[in-house]
Amino acid sequence: MTQPLLFEQKGPVAHLTLNRPDVGNAIDVPLARALMETAIRCDEDDTIRCVTLRGAGRCFCVGGDIAGFSQAGNALPGLLKELTAYVHMAVSRFARMPKPLLTIVNGAAAGAGMSLSLLGDIVLMAASARLTPAYGGVGLSPDGGLSWVLPRLVGLRRAQEIMLGNRAIEAREAEAIGLVTRAVADADLADESAAMVARLAAAATGAAGRTRVLLRDSFDTSLERHLEAESRAMADTAKSAEAQEGVAAFLAKRKPVFHALEGEL
């Protein structure tokens, strides 16, 4: 049986690939469950310093499996509760794991696929790709954290227009309004992604993990509480071998070596 989600670890990098290309990597229960299980695995495995997520074939992910929704009939509400339980646990684990996530939007990302695409700390998007909320088009409200992430990236007013108008966003506009990190020519996407992976995997993972927390929590706290959180996080990271290496490298006027990369990334 074909695995709905491919996992490959190369050195310190975990490469995840949504693997239902014949249906645009639409999310059904097996794929949702695999996402949850793999997110937990990435969170728990200390040998993993960076995670990438992309789609097999021409699409990143077209969202939920609408054909499966139709087949569920009156059982659809129950199916959606099961599906979102897995997807939301995956989103939470990916968002809170102490290592960066790179999403590589190689093609169309719609619905929950758009939610997953925007989850990355770094989001590289092929110039030919597009993002579409899609939920309103099938009479459903959003999931996967899209209604939480989108207004934080582009502001409430623009998020309202995009989601309520179910408006498709081309790659160049997505970059211009801050939805993605960078729009990349299709032919350059693989090389750009590899370069970014190498940079993230070679960085100080402990500091990156703390930085992820500080950035995420900055919207929900006062300045004074955030300053205290910054102070405590910095003091904690100072105890690490990575900090010791960073300081030593700075004084020696050399590049720090936080991790000896093994094999091809």
Side-chain angles (χ1 to χ4, degrees), residues 6 19 30 34 37 39 50 56 64-65 71 77 86-87 116 123-124 130 143 155 200 214-216 219 229 246-247:
L6 302 180
N19 191 39
E37 293 170 347
C50 176
D65 190 340
Q71 293 169 7
Y86 293 132
V87 171
L116 290 174
V123 183
L124 299 181
R130 64 168 54 185
D143 69 343
L200 293 174
L214 289 167
L215 289 171
R216 185 186 66 238
F219 289 91
V247 171

Side-chain angles (χ1 to χ4, degrees), residues 14-254:
H15 297 283
L16 314 183
T17 304
L18 305 171
N19 191 39
R20 302 187 71 215
D22 292 345
V23 291
N25 301 312
I27 302 174
D28 60 1
V29 169
L31 176 52
R33 186 186 298 116
L35 274 168
M36 179 196 71
E37 293 170 347
T38 305
I40 293 172
R41 177 179 180 179
C42 291
D43 191 10
E44 289 294 312
D45 189 342
D46 292 338
T47 68
I48 295 173
R49 298 171 60 86
C50 176
V51 179
T52 75
L53 178 64
R54 73 190 76 202
R58 298 177 60 186
C59 297
F60 176 80
C61 174
V62 298
D65 190 340
I66 303 301
F69 293 178
S70 176
Q71 293 169 7
N74 292 334
L76 179 57
L79 172 63
L80 291 176
K81 287 181 179 178
E82 180 181 8
L83 191 71
T84 55
Y86 293 132
V87 171
H88 289 177
M89 178 58 74
V91 168
S92 179
R93 295 283 73 76
F94 282 134
R96 296 182 182 279
M97 64 183 180
K99 56 205 73 175
L101 173 66
L102 169 67
T103 50
I104 303 164
V105 188
N106 53 296
M114 182 173 174
S115 303
L116 290 174
S117 73
L118 300 182
L119 188 59
D121 299 287
I122 306 293
V123 183
L124 299 181
M125 184 175 179
S128 64
R130 64 168 54 185
L131 306 172
T132 311
Y135 295 100
V138 292
L140 295 173
S141 56
D143 69 343
L146 187 59
S147 59
W148 188 91
V149 171
L150 195 60
R152 283 166 170 76
L153 292 175
V154 300
L156 177 61
R157 188 62 69 213
R158 182 169 274 153
Q160 289 170 320
E161 188 264 338
I162 291 171
M163 296 197 71
L164 297 178
N166 193 29
R167 185 165 70 83
I169 310 294
E170 304 292 339
R172 296 301 176 190
E173 181 185 0
E175 178 183 9
I177 66 177
L179 266 181
V180 302
T181 307
R182 189 158 56 252
V184 180
D186 289 30
D188 297 332
L189 186 61
D191 288 343
E192 288 269 358
S193 300
M196 183 59 68
V197 165
R199 186 182 308 171
L200 293 174
T205 302
R210 292 284 186 160
T211 302
R212 292 187 98 216
V213 173
L214 289 167
L215 289 171
R216 185 186 66 238
D217 292 351
S218 65
F219 289 91
D220 302 315
T221 188
S222 67
L223 172 60
E224 288 72 20
R225 287 185 178 181
H226 199 73
L227 291 171
E228 177 64 13
E230 284 187 334
S231 177
R232 289 183 176 276
M234 179 176 281
D236 285 343
T237 55
K239 302 172 186 176
S240 70
E242 288 181 332
Q244 294 171 15
E245 164 62 11
V247 171
F250 180 84
L251 294 175
K253 295 182 172 58
R254 62 173 174 81

